[in-house]
């Protein structure tokens, strides 16, 4: 498949895969792919990331742990919409990051890199540690100290990454890792890396593959804003390749305490003002200065979508409602459904992306759930407790 990197600001083209941003204007890069190479069928069969390899810009045998192919659950809601939840928490490391990582780590190997790094609110580090272990690469993880959910930290540590807890928030950790990667020739695996987003665009391919049609709206939790950009790119390529006629409205959902994209959208702006001290129970989207804001805002405007903000209470309520339907997700993941519930139900069909697994943040789950009842081992006493 033919592809090149293209700057989203000045449109310059580059054939050098090791770039992250435009050498002439500093803009974000995207992978412009030749969609006429697409040779998959959207027939609902054998769904997983590498089914769509004809549109994925990797030249070697990929590093894979069988990511993608996640279930699309129909769910009950009070609105008239046919509603589905795509449970990305059922990927190998428990979040959608694996889709990006299988492509990004394959690209690292293709480029001959031996070290990779990321700043992370948790899930990127968990996924990167796992795929680096598989590929035999050295992994360096930069986390905001004390702010990472336990399950994610456990994964990064167990899969053998070198974990550096930076005294500062995610935005600070990302600024530092970008600088370190340049100094030490380490390959950067944050979503500013355009190849990661290529893997994540397969969420769009899978939705049409599984539903048999293109839904009217997609609700996506937005943190660093890579995923919503990637999913929009996926739908755009499907339309360009003639698989669908329409593109869903991309609806971003942010937490009230970490809402720079919401604020920009409310004033119909193209750029964001960073939020200085982002705060939310949904740690995966606790980001004040999203790297992919420009791409995300384009996706939202071009698709006729919007941005909704939700409170931490609304996120927890949504998480519990999903749990009641057998869908266990971490708080950030529930924000898409929380956003859907605040919306007016104008769509006939919609998909909420549930981005990560419940087990990622066990402390939050315990905190917001009913506590276990302590009892002596006495049948009579216990019978009365039921
Ligand atoms: C990474 C992540 C997000 C945010 O995705 P962005 O691409 O950074 O906007 C949301 N939810 C979960 C569970 C994540 O791991
Ligand atoms: Zn440029």
């Amino acid at each position: 498949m033919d592809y090149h990197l293209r700057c989203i600001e000045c449109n310059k083209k580059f054939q050098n895969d090791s770039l992250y941003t435009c050498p002439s204007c500093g803009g974000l890069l995207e992978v412009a792919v030749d969609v006429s190479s697409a040779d998959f069928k959207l027939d609902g069969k054998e769904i997983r990331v590498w089914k769509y390899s004809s549109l994925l810009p990797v030249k070697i045998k990929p590093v894979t742990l069988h990511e993608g192919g996640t279930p699309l659950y129909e769910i009950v809601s009070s609105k008239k919409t046919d509603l589905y939840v795509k449970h990305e928490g059922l990927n190998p490391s428990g979040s959608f990051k694996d889709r990006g990582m299988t492509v990004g780590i394959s690209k690292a190997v293709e480029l001959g890199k031996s070290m990779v790094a990321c700043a992370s609110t948790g899930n990127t580090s968990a996924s990167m540690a796992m795929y680096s272990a598989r590929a035999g690469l050295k992994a360096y993880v930069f986390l905001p100290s004390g702010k990472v959910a336990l399950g994610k930290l456990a994964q990064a540590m167990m899969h053998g990454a070198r974990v550096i807890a930076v005294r500062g928030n995610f935005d600070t950790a990302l600024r530092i890792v970008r600088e370190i990667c340049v100094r030490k020739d380490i390959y950067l695996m944050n979503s500013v890396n355009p190849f990661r987003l290529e893997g994540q665009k397969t969420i769009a391919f899978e939705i049409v593959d599984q539903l048999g049609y293109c839904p009217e709206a997609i609700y996506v939790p937005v943190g660093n804003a890579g995923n919503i950009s990637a999913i929009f790119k996926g739908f755009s390529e499907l339309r360009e390749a003639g698989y669908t006629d329409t593109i869903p409205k991309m609806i971003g959902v942010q937490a009230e305490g970490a809402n720079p994209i919401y604020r920009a959208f409310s004033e119909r702006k193209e750029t964001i003002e960073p939020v200085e001290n982002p705060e939310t129970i949904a740690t995966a989207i606790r980001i004040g200065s999203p790297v992919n804001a420009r791409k995300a805002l384009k996706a939202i405007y071009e698709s006729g979508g919007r941005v909704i903000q939700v409170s931490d209470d609304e996120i927890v309520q949504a998480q519990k409602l999903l749990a009641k339907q057998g869908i266990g997700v971490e708080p950030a993941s529930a924000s898409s459904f929380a956003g859907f519930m605040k919306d007016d139900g104008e769509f006939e069909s919609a998909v909420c992306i549930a981005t990560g697994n419940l087990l990622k943040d066990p402390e939050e789950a315990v905190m917001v759930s009913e506590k276990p009842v302590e009892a002596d081992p006495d049948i009579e006493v216990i019978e009365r407790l039921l």
Side-chain angles (χ1 to χ4, degrees), residues 141-315:
V141 158
F142 295 70
L143 303 174
S145 178
K147 293 292 186 182
V148 172
L150 204 56
K152 308 175 188 184
L153 183 61
Q155 288 176 295
M157 291 167 70
M158 180 53 100
H159 289 294
R162 175 119 173 97
V163 179
I164 296 154
V166 180
R167 291 189 202 97
N169 62 25
F170 169 83
D171 302 296
T172 308
L174 180 57
R175 185 172 50 74
I176 288 173
V177 77
R178 287 180 80 164
E179 179 74 36
I180 299 250
C181 281
V182 173
R183 289 186 184 208
K184 295 275 187 198
D185 192 32
I186 302 175
Y187 195 50
L188 179 64
M189 292 303 312
N190 280 98
S191 56
V192 65
N193 181 324
F195 293 101
R196 253 195 57 194
L197 301 188
E198 290 302 291
Q200 290 169 211
K201 77 185 178 186
T202 59
I203 290 178
F205 300 170
E206 290 191 7
I207 287 172
V208 178
D209 213 341
Q210 287 168 306
L211 274 182
Y213 63 87
C214 193
E216 280 180 37
I218 308 282
Y219 291 76
V220 189
V222 174
N224 221 8
N227 208 30
I228 192 166
S229 317
I231 296 172
F232 175 70
K233 187 171 191 284
F235 281 113
S236 305
E237 288 177 10
L238 284 187
R239 185 173 63 177
E240 208 185 322
Y243 287 99
T244 66
D245 300 329
T246 58
I247 288 184
K249 291 187 165 48
M250 302 304 303
I251 304 185
V253 186
Q254 292 212 289
E256 279 174 1
N259 63 355
I261 308 246
Y262 171 80
R263 290 192 199 184
F265 176 79
S266 306
E267 296 167 21
R268 297 297 181 277
K269 286 197 192 141
E270 308 274 335
T271 53
I272 56 136
E273 300 279 335
V275 169
E276 284 307 325
N277 295 301
E279 210 41 86
T280 167
I281 195 168
T283 51
I285 54 173
R286 187 173 169 277
I287 292 176
S289 182
V291 174
N292 291 295
R294 292 274 297 143
K295 281 187 181 175
L297 285 164
K298 273 180 197 244
I300 291 157
Y301 292 129
E302 279 179 32
S303 68
R306 57 178 168 264
V307 187
I308 301 171
Q309 64 172 351
V310 292
S311 68
D312 280 5
D313 266 358
E314 287 164 335
I315 289 173

Side-chain angles (χ1 to χ4, degrees), residues 6-12 14 21-29:
R6 178 175 62 204
C7 173
I8 68 160
E9 306 295 348
C10 74
N11 258 317
K12 284 215 174 93
F14 305 95
T21 50
C22 175
S24 61
C25 80
L28 293 168
L29 299 176

Side-chain angles (χ1 to χ4, degrees), residues 96-97 123 222-227 284-285 330 332-333 355-356:
F96 73 83
K97 300 297 197 302
N123 281 331
V222 174
N224 221 8
N227 208 30
I285 54 173
E330 65 166 289
S333 314
T355 41

